[in-house]
């Protein structure tokens, strides 16, 4: 197998070992390095003393196993990316149904680092019912970057007018700009970089030219998110109305395979009430026919 396929096999074996553990078999932790680093990109309860304490109370009344649905992987170099969702039924009538994206770094035959993205508001509202967690408070200073230890490949101030859904035009980004022409990951990576160059320039028409007819955008979370979400302009209107600084966006390195490109992003902005918007994002871009 190629290194990429071997790394995918390592991740698949972790899943298989977890399933065997649920059925009374081996401990899946043998597939993890002893010093594995795990970034959970979300807000967790401040009163938690360990990484698992905040799970125990809600799980004490669950009525089902944890059902996982795993999507196709994206792999390049020593990284494996996968999307998945989890569904657990609780006797208190709540349903835990979260959406995740993980980027896992492999060394040898072990996973040594995970950066996990999830709908942390869903965690708070479901797991926080038993017992009741404190209300979430806005940030007043930036938090640790989700890109710590990785290369920042692009950083710029985003024009607030670009916080909107694109209007797909399907044209070339420029006469000589790169296109996702189906020739492989390098072309697709260049195409996403071209999108960011258009965003950095504040050129809405160039941004729109990167999107084709039938474009769909999934946002993790309940309504107003999901596939059928409110327009991004409406979602971000409260942020834009209270900006006290530029909106800084930072992108990490891409992971590209086939017709998909994965990347991580951080967004930071100061607001006029002294709070800070500092969000962690990841994207899976699916590209076809330029």
């Amino acid at each position: 197998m190629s290194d990429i396929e071997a790394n995918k096999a390592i991740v698949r074996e972790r899943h298989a070992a977890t399933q065997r553990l649920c059925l009374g078999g081996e401990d899946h932790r043998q597939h993890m390095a002893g010093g594995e680093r795990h970034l959970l990109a979300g807000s967790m309860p401040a009163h938690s003393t360990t990484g698992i304490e905040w799970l125990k109370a809600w799980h004490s009344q669950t009525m089902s196993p944890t059902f996982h649905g795993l999507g196709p992987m994206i792999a390049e170099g020593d990284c494996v990316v996968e999307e998945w969702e989890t569904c657990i039924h609780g006797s208190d009538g709540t349903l835990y149904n979260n959406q995740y994206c993980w980027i896992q770094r492999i060394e040898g035959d072990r996973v040594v680092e995970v950066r996990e993205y999830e709908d942390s508001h869903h965690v708070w509202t479901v797991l926080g019912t038993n017992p009741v967690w404190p209300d979430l408070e806005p940030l007043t200073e930036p938090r640790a970057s989700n890109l710590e230890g990785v290369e920042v490949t692009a950083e710029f101030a985003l024009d607030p007018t670009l916080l909107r859904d694109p209007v797909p035009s399907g044209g070339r980004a420029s006469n000589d700009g790169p296109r996702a022409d189906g020739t492989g990951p390098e072309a697709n990576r260049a195409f996403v970089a071209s999108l960011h160059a258009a965003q950095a320039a504040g050129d809405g028409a160039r941004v729109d030219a990167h999107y084709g007819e039938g474009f769909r955008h999934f946002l993790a979370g309940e309504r107003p998110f999901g596939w059928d979400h409110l327009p991004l302009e409406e979602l971000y209107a409260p942020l834009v109305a209270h900006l006290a600084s530029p909106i800084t966006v930072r992108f990490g390195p891409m992971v590209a395979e086939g017709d998909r490109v994965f990347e991580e992003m951080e967004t930071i902005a100061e607001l006029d009430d002294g709070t800070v918007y500092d969000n962690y994002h990841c994207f899976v871009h699916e590209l076809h026919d330029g």
Side-chain angles (χ1 to χ4, degrees):
M1 292 188 296
S2 68
D3 290 342
I4 288 175
E5 292 305 317
N7 288 343
K8 288 181 181 179
I10 290 168
V11 174
R12 289 193 188 100
E13 176 54 25
R14 279 185 72 168
H15 298 323
T18 302
Q19 182 69 89
R20 290 194 294 269
L21 176 64
C22 292
L23 300 174
E26 66 188 65
D27 191 331
H28 73 290
R29 287 174 293 184
Q30 66 175 294
H31 302 279
M32 302 162 62
E36 177 180 334
R37 298 178 67 228
H38 193 131
L39 168 75
L40 183 62
S43 302
M44 290 296 110
H47 62 274
S48 174
T49 55
T50 72
I52 207 68
E53 285 297 319
W54 46 270
L55 283 171
K56 288 182 177 179
W58 190 80
H59 271 294
S60 69
Q61 51 85 54
T62 53
M63 300 175 62
S64 77
T66 303
F67 296 102
H68 290 300
L70 299 164
M73 298 177 185
I74 306 172
E76 185 178 27
D78 61 359
C79 291
V80 177
V81 174
E82 60 181 344
E83 298 173 271
W84 49 289
E85 68 176 1
T86 296
C87 184
I88 316 169
H89 295 267
S91 63
D92 63 356
T94 56
L95 175 68
Y96 184 82
N97 185 193
N98 211 338
Q99 296 145 345
Y100 307 83
C101 189
W102 280 28
I103 175 169
Q104 302 170 79
R105 186 165 61 83
I106 313 293
E107 283 185 3
D109 60 352
R110 295 288 187 272
V111 176
V112 296
E113 183 174 283
V114 177
R115 293 194 296 283
E116 173 183 347
Y117 296 85
E118 64 174 28
D119 178 0
S120 61
H121 186 261
H122 181 75
V123 174
W124 205 281
T125 55
V126 177
L127 302 189
T129 60
N130 190 354
V132 176
W133 292 356
D135 291 337
L136 281 170
E137 295 294 334
L139 296 173
T140 55
E141 58 184 32
R143 52 185 175 177
S145 174
N146 60 320
L147 301 178
E148 178 185 348
V150 302
E151 177 189 3
V152 174
T153 58
E155 180 172 349
F156 53 87
L158 182 68
D159 185 337
T161 63
L162 293 180
L163 291 174
R164 59 167 175 79
D165 291 313
V167 181
S169 65
R172 285 187 179 273
S174 64
N175 289 334
D176 58 352
R179 290 176 63 85
D181 57 8
T183 59
E186 203 58 45
N188 291 340
R189 194 184 353 262
F191 186 79
V192 174
S194 172
L195 168 62
H196 296 330
Q199 293 168 330
D203 189 333
R206 279 177 58 199
V207 170
D208 291 340
H210 288 76
Y211 295 92
E213 183 179 355
F215 168 71
R216 299 200 308 159
H217 185 178
F218 177 75
L219 297 173
E222 287 82 31
R223 180 76 177 171
F225 303 102
W227 284 115
D228 182 24
H229 59 258
L230 283 180
L232 291 185
E233 185 175 0
E234 293 184 32
L235 288 174
Y236 281 105
L239 174 74
V240 173
H242 294 281
L243 286 173
S245 76
I247 302 171
T248 299
V249 294
R250 301 187 183 104
F251 291 91
M254 301 177 200
V255 178
E257 183 187 14
D259 60 4
R260 289 173 299 153
V261 178
F262 167 85
E263 63 178 345
E264 299 166 272
M265 184 181 83
E266 181 178 27
T267 304
I268 301 176
E270 297 176 6
L271 305 183
D272 58 13
D273 63 353
T275 59
V276 174
Y277 182 82
D278 185 354
N279 210 347
Y280 299 147
H281 312 258
C282 69
F283 296 88
V284 175
H285 305 277
E286 187 172 326
L287 310 173
H288 294 284
D289 303 322

